């Protein structure tokens, strides 16, 4: 029986090729994900280890609530100074102490756009030895900075900014633009920099002047003498540190922390990719099961003969499963090789888009090999299990008398009943989710379970649903294409199970794509509306590092020709009882020009210094009403009695609470403007006003000057990115579904060889045969598309409750254009999938086909 299984695989290579392709693609996805995770994780780990090389103990300052902060943006005061550094250096077992100053510095690129990625734009002090070199930052060209007007950059940052040694570099740390001469370019293995950040280096005195105070440091890196015990040395260092103002961590602990952070960072991406790989394999199950069902049907005479000469039912089952296992093993091996290439390509694509993964060799672990091969074989065998049982149950005499017996009515009744029960359960769960009054992320697993149950039930019911839908499509094909269209409809209806299994693969992919598209499109529209609904201003100005703007700049912007009003907003948080609120301080006399405030009760017309208004949602959540008085405790510890003088409709621009600018300013350690709302004459936007506004604000690379379009893009851009990434990943499932349609049609043509010969004999031309097969493919594809889009829209409607809680403006909006595109894609899939089977059917020799057994 094993030899028979091997012979069957070799005898039906062409018929099994498409099935092998489905397994291959799914396994490639799984293998690529596992290899990518291992490769990137190991590369980052090695980079982190190299970055921590020579670190025996790291001493860092702890936040001190009593430490003074001076200047806008604030200079930090730390407990790490030269005296403490000298004390640590004198400890037994200490070989060196590196004294680090760190901060942030954002460079302006050639087009004025900031270089790097926010808080990953690191600034540090260059610490040369007696020869002028710093082992942590090896020089490529030039020298290290030694004076206040000098700086160095890492290679990637210098290249991105278009700088070379001798150029003048423009950058900002906390607002005003600074310029320094570039005297050196260095290399670094710091993962924070290589993952999309930037590095600016200054001499120690200059770095302290910008970020700390003279003689102070952010970190002391202790190097151990040869033979010194790291843990013992860490304990000694801890003994000399000021209590509650500094902490010491061993190099081993730092490495473990970084490894855990790396694992956590990669885990979400890997899990997402594996989910899509699972979807691809799930779709492949339908194709594999369909293929083996058809192969067994075609080999029923052969199986009957085996049974007649003594083969038991168990042996027949084993033979089919052995055939499936062999197919799965070969396909998985090829898929694994393809997955390795996919992993390399994925890293290159992500790096090209700014991911910043470090270089390193491709890591192929035994776990990845065994998992990918095992999954491929198990999925193939499981998919072939039901067809193998069906083969074993065929009576020898019955199989010898007929090539293909119609499905038993009893089995269809059972299937339809089971499908109805499961679909009903899934729909009930989704209606429960829809009815939840305060749905949140905790209800997501329930919604996902309901979606899976619904999709499973519809898949089981697909043969029953195929009859009315295919018949409806057949009316159109018959009227448009005559006899070819009618034959196509009859062929699709001939075996509802096969048609359903073929269409289900496409249905699953389109269900997921439709659901994500509808939810994503609706959420994007809601974000757009929420972002700009309460905004009358034409520009919103802030900083990328949230350090705020100098209040004096407001007057400069207001003086720019074309600017009608410039209204500042400053934030400060306070606690009232168990509630934390953030009050937005502004000029109450002019805020109505840049923001829409619709009051439900009260107003700000006669608001005093300690009067505030709250949003409708905030008032509802905290039981607040106009006329109430709150005992507020602000962040810096000062208290104030705050009277609520009004309640307004929710406004994303103003936030939960609004008050006078003087209220917020009295609780800030240094005056600042967090956002500046600018109203222009005639609603003008674009570069004609953005550039003068930037110039008035000092052309700092930290500035974010955004009009309505920029705000929409910033707030909804991530949603669109997720949608398009999902399209790409789910495209794999659709591709596998296309393979399934091709496979089904090709094998169906083989089954109908004699029938096609008879059609040719009675006058149906080759073109008519091609048209018949193509229309059958299109009908099956449209059936899958209708089911997929319908189920996807229902699931997105039911699950929309989860999104609407976080987006009050959310409402279901069907993207008719994209849904029409999905239908068009299904039509194209049907036509393309039929090209080879239709051509093969049309080229059959008439006489040989009629005489085929």
């Amino acid at each position: 029986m094993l030899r028979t299984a091997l012979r069957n695989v070799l005898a039906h290579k062409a018929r099994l090729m498409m099935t092998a392709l489905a397994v291959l693609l799914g396994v490639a996805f799984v293998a690529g994900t596992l290899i990518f995770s291992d490769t990137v994780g190991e590369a980052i780990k090695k980079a982190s280890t190299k970055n921590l090389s020579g670190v025996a103990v790291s001493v860092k300052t702890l936040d001190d609530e009593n430490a003074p902060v001076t200047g806008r943006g604030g200079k930090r005061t730390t407990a790490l100074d030269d005296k403490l550094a000298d004390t640590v250096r004198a400890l037994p077992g200490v070989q060196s102490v590196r004294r680090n100053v760190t901060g942030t510095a954002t460079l302006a690129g050639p087009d004025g756009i900031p270089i790097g990625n926010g808080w990953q734009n690191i600034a540090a002090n260059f610490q040369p030895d007696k020869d002028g070199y710093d082992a942590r930052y090896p020089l490529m060209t030039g020298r290290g900075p030694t004076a206040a007007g000098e700086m160095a950059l890492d290679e990637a940052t210098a290249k991105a900014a278009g700088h070379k040694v001798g150029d003048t570099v423009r950058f900002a740390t906390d607002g005003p633009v600074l310029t320094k001469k570039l005297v050196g370019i260095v290399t670094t293995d710091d993962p924070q920099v290589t993952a999309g950040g930037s590095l600016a280096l200054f001499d120690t005195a200059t770095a302290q002047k910008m970020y700390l105070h003279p003689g102070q440091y952010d970190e002391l890196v202790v190097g151990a003498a040869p033979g010194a015990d790291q843990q013992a040395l860490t304990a000694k260092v801890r003994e000399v540190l000021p209590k509650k103002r500094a902490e010491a961590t061993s190099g081993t602990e730092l490495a473990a922390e970084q490894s855990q952070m790396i694992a956590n960072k990669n885990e979400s991406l890997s899990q997402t990719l594996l989910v899509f790989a699972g979807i691809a394999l799930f779709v492949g199950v339908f194709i594999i099961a369909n293929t083996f069902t058809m192969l067994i049907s075609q080999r029923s005479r052969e199986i009957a003969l085996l049974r007649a000469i003594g083969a038991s039912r168990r042996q027949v089952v084993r033979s089919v499963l052995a055939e499936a296992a062999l197919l799965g093993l070969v396909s998985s091996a090829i898929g694994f090789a393809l997955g390795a290439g996919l992993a390399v390509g994925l890293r290159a694509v992500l790096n090209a888009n700014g991911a910043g993964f470090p270089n390193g060799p491709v890591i192929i672990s035994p776990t990845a090999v065994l998992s990918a091969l095992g999954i491929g074989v198990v999925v193939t065998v499981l998919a072939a299990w039901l067809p193998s049982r069906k083969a074993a149950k065929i009576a020898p005499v019955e199989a010898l008398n007929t090539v293909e017996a119609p499905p038993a009515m009893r089995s269809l009744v059972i299937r339809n009943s089971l499908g109805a029960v499961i679909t009903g359960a899934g729909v009930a769960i989704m209606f429960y989710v829809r009815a939840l009054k305060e749905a949140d992320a905790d209800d997501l697993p329930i919604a996902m379970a309901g979606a899976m149950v619904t999709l499973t039930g519809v898949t089981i019911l697909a043969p029953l649903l195929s009859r009315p839908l295919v018949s409806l499509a057949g009316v159109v094909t018959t009227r448009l294409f005559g006899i070819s269209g009618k034959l196509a409809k009859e062929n699709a209806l001939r075996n509802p199970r096969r048609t359903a299994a073929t269409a289900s693969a496409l249905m699953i992919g389109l269900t997921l794509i439709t659901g994500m598209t509808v939810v994503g499109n609706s959420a994007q529209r809601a974000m757009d509306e929420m972002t700009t609904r309460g905004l009358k201003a034409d520009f919103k100005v802030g900083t990328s590092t949230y350090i705020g703007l100098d209040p004096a700049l407001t007057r400069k912007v207001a003086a720019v020709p074309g600017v009608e009003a410039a209204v500042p907003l400053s934030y400060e948080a306070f606690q009232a009882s168990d509630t934390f609120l953030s009050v937005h301080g502004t000029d109450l006399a002019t805020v109505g020009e840049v923001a829409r405030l619709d009051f439900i009760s009260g107003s700000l017309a006669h608001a005093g210094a300690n009067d505030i208004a709250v949003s409708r949602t905030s008032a509802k959540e905290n039981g607040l009403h106009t006329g109430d008085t709150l005992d507020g405790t602000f962040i810096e510890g000062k208290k104030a009695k705050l009277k609520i003088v009004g309640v307004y409709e929710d406004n994303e621009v103003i936030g939960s609470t609004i008050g006078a600018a003087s209220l917020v300013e009295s609780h800030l350690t240094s005056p600042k403007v967090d956002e500046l709302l600018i109203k222009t004459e005639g609603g003008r936007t674009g570069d004609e006003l953005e550039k003068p506004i930037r110039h008035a604000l000092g052309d700092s690379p930290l500035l974010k000057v955004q009009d309505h379009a920029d705000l929409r893009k910033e707030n909804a851009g991530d949603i669109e990115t997720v949608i398009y990434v999902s399209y790409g990943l789910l495209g794999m499932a659709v591709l596998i579904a296309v393979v399934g349609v091709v496979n089904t049609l090709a094998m169906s043509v083989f089954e109908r060889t004699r029938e096609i010969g008879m059609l040719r004999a009675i006058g149906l031309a080759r073109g008519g045969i091609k048209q018949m097969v193509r229309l059958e493919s299109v009908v099956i594809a449209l059936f899958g598309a209708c089911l997929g889009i319908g189920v996807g829209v229902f699931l997105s409607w039911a699950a929309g409750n989860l999104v609407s809680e976080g987006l009050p403006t959310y409402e279901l909006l069907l993207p008719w254009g994209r849904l029409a595109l999905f239908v068009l894609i299904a039509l194209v899939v049907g036509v393309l999938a039929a090209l080879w089977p239709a051509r093969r059917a049309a080229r059959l020799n008439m006489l040989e086909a009629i005489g085929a057994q």
Side-chain angles (χ1 to χ4, degrees):
M1 294 301 292
L2 289 174
R3 285 198 299 271
T4 301
L6 179 60
R7 180 188 61 78
N8 284 330
V9 171
L10 297 176
H12 302 106
K13 294 188 292 292
R15 299 185 212 174
L16 291 172
M17 182 177 64
M18 292 298 177
T19 304
L21 185 58
V23 179
L24 182 152
L25 291 174
V27 170
F29 217 152
V30 174
T33 301
L34 295 175
I35 294 172
F36 170 80
S37 300
D38 291 341
T39 298
V40 170
E42 187 64 25
I44 297 178
K45 189 180 295 184
K46 285 184 178 179
S48 299
T49 302
K50 189 175 181 180
N51 189 52
L52 292 172
S53 176
V55 179
V57 184
S58 170
V59 179
K60 292 186 177 180
T61 186
L62 295 174
D63 292 334
D64 188 346
E65 295 180 358
N66 299 316
V69 179
T70 60
R72 192 179 66 81
K75 288 187 177 181
R76 304 183 306 279
T77 298
T78 78
L80 310 184
D81 53 21
D82 286 314
K83 181 179 179 182
L84 180 61
D86 292 337
T87 301
V88 172
R89 178 66 183 86
L91 292 173
V94 174
Q95 186 177 49
S96 62
V97 175
R98 181 181 178 87
R99 310 173 189 206
N100 293 338
V101 179
T102 57
T104 60
T106 303
L107 274 67
D111 52 2
I113 302 300
I115 298 293
N117 185 17
W119 292 105
Q120 290 179 248
N121 296 333
I122 299 172
N125 56 324
F126 188 83
Q127 301 176 58
D129 56 20
K130 61 182 180 180
D131 297 321
Y133 295 97
D134 186 339
R136 181 174 174 80
Y137 304 113
L139 282 163
M140 290 189 63
T141 57
R143 60 176 176 81
T146 57
E150 298 176 346
M151 69 183 300
L153 297 173
D154 71 287
E155 181 186 13
T157 302
K159 184 178 180 180
H163 289 312
K164 59 182 183 298
V165 173
D167 288 350
T168 297
V169 179
R170 294 177 67 253
F171 68 97
T173 58
D174 64 353
V177 175
L178 303 174
T179 58
K180 294 187 184 296
K181 182 180 179 181
L182 182 63
V183 297
I185 296 177
V186 304
T187 60
T188 180
D189 296 308
D190 190 333
Q192 199 168 348
V193 177
T194 57
S198 64
L199 174 67
L201 296 173
F202 310 96
D203 67 280
T204 299
T206 301
Q208 289 174 330
K209 184 178 180 180
M210 288 194 296
Y211 303 109
L212 298 171
H213 297 279
Q216 294 184 351
Y217 306 96
D218 288 297
E219 181 185 24
L220 302 178
V221 178
V222 180
D229 180 80
Q230 193 177 98
Q231 298 302 322
L233 185 59
T234 303
K236 292 179 184 178
V237 171
R238 285 172 179 159
E239 291 176 0
V240 301
L241 297 181
K243 303 299 182 184
K244 297 183 180 180
R245 296 195 62 194
E247 64 177 357
T249 308
S250 69
T252 303
E253 292 172 332
L254 281 178
E257 289 175 5
Q258 287 201 3
S259 295
Q260 186 60 46
M261 288 175 61
I262 293 165
N264 294 338
K265 183 177 180 181
N266 290 333
E267 185 178 9
S268 59
L269 176 60
S270 298
Q271 287 179 347
T272 301
L273 292 174
L274 283 174
V275 166
F276 286 106
I279 293 170
L281 285 170
F282 183 61
V283 170
V285 166
F286 291 91
I287 298 168
I288 299 165
N290 214 14
T291 300
F292 274 94
T293 299
M294 296 173 72
L295 282 175
I296 287 165
S297 177
Q298 293 168 14
R299 285 164 27 204
S300 56
R301 286 179 177 273
E302 175 188 322
I303 294 171
L305 286 171
L306 290 172
R307 293 279 286 114
I309 62 175
S312 66
R313 289 186 175 183
R314 185 172 296 179
Q315 285 179 310
V316 172
V317 171
R318 288 176 180 174
S319 174
V320 176
L321 294 183
E323 186 178 341
L326 183 59
L327 175 69
L329 183 62
V330 174
S331 304
S332 299
I334 300 172
F336 185 84
L338 181 63
L342 184 66
V344 174
L346 181 60
R347 181 170 63 171
V349 169
L350 292 175
N351 277 342
N353 286 277
F357 294 125
N359 293 324
V362 176
I363 305 298
I364 299 178
S365 65
T367 302
V369 176
L370 294 176
S371 297
L373 295 181
I375 288 172
V377 173
V378 168
V379 166
T380 310
V381 170
L382 286 177
W385 181 68
L386 285 176
S388 71
R389 286 177 55 83
K390 180 181 177 182
K393 290 180 178 179
I394 298 175
V397 174
E398 179 186 356
L400 289 170
N401 286 334
T402 181
V403 175
E404 182 179 6
M409 187 59 66
R410 175 180 169 80
S411 63
L412 287 176
V413 170
I414 294 174
R415 175 172 180 154
N416 293 339
S417 300
L418 179 63
V421 170
I422 295 176
T423 303
V427 170
I429 294 173
M430 296 312 296
F431 271 108
Y432 166 77
V433 172
R434 179 67 187 179
L436 289 173
K437 292 184 178 180
E438 295 182 358
D440 55 29
D442 293 336
D443 297 308
L444 182 60
I446 300 175
M448 292 179 66
M452 287 300 298
V453 173
T454 303
L455 192 55
T456 302
V458 173
T459 303
I460 296 173
L461 277 179
L464 178 65
L465 298 173
S466 68
R467 290 192 175 277
L469 292 177
V470 171
S471 296
L472 182 61
V475 172
V476 178
T477 58
T478 301
R479 288 186 178 180
L480 293 178
F481 302 101
I483 190 63
S484 296
K486 184 175 183 179
L487 288 171
K489 181 198 73 172
E490 295 300 330
N491 289 334
L493 288 174
R494 181 179 301 183
N495 192 329
R497 288 183 171 185
R498 182 182 301 171
T499 298
T502 306
S504 293
L506 185 61
M507 178 197 75
I508 293 168
L510 282 177
T511 295
L512 298 172
I513 290 176
T514 300
M516 296 194 71
T517 299
V518 173
V519 172
N521 180 72
S522 302
Q524 194 172 30
R525 294 283 184 88
M527 288 287 288
D528 289 350
E529 184 180 349
M530 193 170 69
T531 299
T532 58
R533 182 176 60 177
L535 186 65
K536 291 183 181 179
D538 300 299
F539 285 102
K540 181 179 178 182
V541 180
T543 57
S544 58
T545 51
Y546 307 103
I547 49 85
L549 302 166
D550 188 337
L553 295 175
T554 302
R555 292 188 295 275
K556 289 186 177 182
V557 173
V560 172
V563 172
E564 187 176 302
V567 181
L569 286 176
S570 300
Y571 315 147
E572 184 66 343
F574 67 91
Q575 181 179 5
S577 298
D578 296 329
T579 302
F580 281 92
L581 294 171
S582 177
V583 60
H584 287 47
T586 187
D587 182 354
L588 298 180
T590 59
V591 69
E593 298 181 40
V594 294
R596 186 175 292 105
L597 284 174
D598 299 323
F599 278 87
I600 300 170
S601 63
S603 73
L604 288 168
H606 304 289
N610 283 358
D611 292 342
I612 61 173
V614 297
S615 68
R616 179 178 57 83
T617 299
S618 182
K620 180 180 178 181
E621 290 177 348
N622 301 294
L624 304 176
H625 303 87
T626 299
D628 289 352
T629 300
L630 300 176
D631 292 321
T633 302
F634 285 80
I635 294 296
E636 92 288 12
K638 292 182 181 178
K639 297 184 178 181
K641 283 192 174 296
L642 306 173
K643 183 180 179 181
I644 299 175
V645 296
V647 177
Y648 55 89
E649 290 288 355
D650 291 349
N651 186 305
E652 185 70 13
V653 179
I654 299 302
S656 61
T657 311
I658 185 173
S662 58
L663 171 63
V664 173
E665 288 171 1
S666 65
H667 296 283
L668 294 175
T669 53
S670 58
K672 67 168 183 172
V673 172
D674 290 294
E675 288 179 356
L676 192 60
L677 303 180
I678 301 172
K679 181 72 175 175
T680 63
E681 296 173 357
R684 294 161 57 194
T685 57
D687 288 344
E688 59 177 336
L689 268 181
E690 182 179 342
K691 288 183 178 179
I693 290 171
R694 281 186 173 277
H695 183 69
L697 293 169
D699 280 327
S700 170
L702 299 177
L703 286 175
K704 292 171 65 177
V705 182
Q706 300 169 297
D707 59 16
H708 285 211
D710 295 328
L711 291 170
R712 290 191 184 99
K713 184 177 180 181
E714 180 181 69
N715 290 322
D718 289 343
I719 297 174
E720 189 168 303
T721 300
V722 169
I723 292 174
Y724 284 122
V725 169
S726 300
Y727 283 173
L729 296 174
L730 289 171
M732 180 74 76
V734 175
L735 177 60
I736 294 174
V738 173
V739 170
V741 177
V742 175
N743 206 20
T744 299
L745 288 175
M747 299 185 75
S748 180
V749 166
F750 176 82
E751 283 184 351
R752 303 202 306 263
T753 298
R754 178 181 291 182
E755 177 185 314
I756 292 170
M758 292 295 294
L759 290 172
R760 291 279 290 115
I762 61 176
L764 189 61
R766 292 183 187 273
I769 295 293
K770 285 185 179 181
Q771 191 176 72
M772 177 187 71
V773 176
R774 282 197 298 266
L775 289 174
E776 181 183 352
S777 176
V778 167
V779 166
I780 293 173
L782 283 178
F783 170 53
C786 290
L787 278 186
I789 293 173
V791 175
V793 169
F794 167 73
L795 294 179
S796 59
W797 169 79
N801 207 20
L802 300 175
V803 184
S804 60
E805 284 298 314
L807 288 173
T809 56
Y810 179 89
E811 62 179 24
L812 189 72
L813 294 172
L814 295 181
W816 294 107
R818 292 191 184 183
L819 296 182
L821 178 62
F822 296 160
V823 175
L824 180 61
I825 289 173
L827 284 171
V828 173
V829 165
V831 173
L832 293 179
L835 288 178
W836 177 59
R839 185 169 178 270
R840 182 173 181 270
R843 294 181 65 183
L844 288 175
N845 182 281
M846 187 190 311
L847 296 177
E848 290 179 359
I850 293 173
Q853 296 295 320

